[in-house]
Amino acid sequence: MHKNFIKDVIIGVSDGLTVPFALTAGLSRVVNTNHLIIVSGLAEIAAGCISMGLGGYLAGESEVEHYDTLLKKEYNEIENVPHLELKEVQDILINLGVEETLSQQVALQISTDKDRWADFMMKLELKMEQPEKNRAAASAGTIALAYLLGGVVPLLPYIILSDIKTGFVVSCVVTILALIIFGYFKCKATGQPPLRGTMKVTLTGIVAAAAASLLAKAVS
C-alpha cells in the first residue's frame, strides 16, 4: 500500500476518532438529550472533513509546487553551469562506492540526456521523488473520508441509543476499542513499537475526551 495513502488515512482517522469523541463526551455532561449531541457531532464531522480535506489539498499542492520549483532550478543549473552539475554527479557516484574513473564515464553518460540528468539530481542529490499526478485531490479525498469514518464511531451510539448515559458509556467503550485497533495498525504500518504506539494513541483520545468532559462540567 502506498506510503502517501497510509499517511493520509492515519491523519484522517486519528483526528476523526479523537475530536468528535472529545466533543460528544463533553456535551454528554451538560445536556439531557441526544439530539443536541447528534446535531453538534454531525456538524463537527462535516466541518472537520472540509477542514482536514482542504488542509490535505493545500499540503499536496505545496508538495507539487516545491518539487517543480527545485526541478526548474536543476534544469537552470544544468543549462548554465553544467561543469558544476557534472562534478556533483561524479561526487554522488563516488559516495555510492563507484570508482573515480568509472564515475566520470557514468556522469558523462547521464549528462547526455538533460531529463535523465535532472531526475538523477532530484532523486540522489535532493532525495526527492516526483509527486503523483492529482496528489492534492487524492490526499484531500482520503483524509476527508478517513475523518468521516473515524468521526462516526463515537457518535453512532448516541444515534442508536435513546438514553444519553447509556450512549455515553457505549461511545466510550467503542471509541477506546477503535483507538486501540487503530493504534495497533498505525504502528504496524509505520514500524513503531506496537505496545507503546498503541498506548500513546489510545491515551491521547482518552485524555482529550476527559479534558473536554471536565471542562464542560466546570463551565456549566
Side-chain angles (χ1 to χ4, degrees):
M1 192 175 293
H2 199 280
K3 62 180 181 179
N4 286 329
F5 176 77
I6 293 175
K7 182 178 71 174
D8 292 339
V9 169
I10 289 173
I11 292 171
V13 174
S14 180
D15 281 8
L17 282 172
T18 304
V19 178
F21 182 35
L23 174 67
T24 54
L27 288 174
S28 67
R29 299 296 300 274
V30 296
V31 300
N32 297 317
T33 174
N34 282 0
H35 180 71
L36 181 58
I37 295 177
I38 294 170
V39 172
S40 300
L42 290 174
E44 195 288 323
I45 291 173
C49 287
I50 295 171
S51 176
M52 295 290 292
L54 181 59
Y57 182 84
L58 294 176
E61 283 283 285
S62 297
E63 183 181 342
V64 172
E65 290 172 1
H66 181 55
Y67 182 90
D68 289 343
T69 298
L70 293 178
L71 181 62
K72 183 178 180 180
K73 180 182 176 182
E74 287 297 331
Y75 274 111
N76 287 335
E77 291 176 350
I78 289 171
E79 189 69 32
N80 298 317
V81 285
H83 60 287
L84 295 180
E85 288 295 288
L86 194 62
K87 181 63 169 60
E88 290 181 359
V89 174
Q90 294 176 22
D91 291 340
I92 291 171
L93 292 170
I94 290 172
N95 289 334
L96 291 174
V98 181
E99 294 182 359
E100 184 173 355
T101 303
L102 182 58
S103 71
Q104 293 175 358
Q105 296 174 2
V106 175
L108 287 172
Q109 181 65 34
I110 291 174
S111 68
T112 59
D113 186 327
K114 291 183 179 180
D115 292 334
R116 181 171 57 194
W117 192 353
D119 185 61
F120 179 91
M121 300 304 290
M122 292 297 293
K123 289 180 178 177
L124 295 181
E125 181 190 29
L126 301 179
K127 313 297 183 185
M128 294 187 67
E129 293 286 343
Q130 184 175 10
E132 295 178 348
K133 292 182 179 179
N134 302 320
R135 163 69 181 139
S139 180
T142 302
I143 292 176
L145 181 58
Y147 190 95
L148 173 63
L149 295 176
V152 167
V153 173
L155 185 61
L156 194 58
Y158 295 99
I159 297 175
I160 297 174
L161 303 170
S162 58
D163 181 63
I164 192 169
K165 292 183 178 180
T166 305
F168 171 72
V169 173
V170 174
S171 177
C172 289
V173 172
V174 170
T175 306
I176 291 172
L177 287 175
L179 285 167
I180 293 172
I181 295 170
F182 167 70
Y184 175 78
F185 282 105
K186 175 185 175 182
C187 293
K188 295 291 287 185
T190 57
Q192 299 178 24
L195 181 59
R196 180 181 177 183
T198 300
M199 289 182 62
K200 183 179 179 180
V201 170
T202 306
L203 288 175
T204 299
I206 292 174
V207 170
S213 182
L214 291 173
L215 180 62
K217 191 66 175 178
V219 172
S220 67

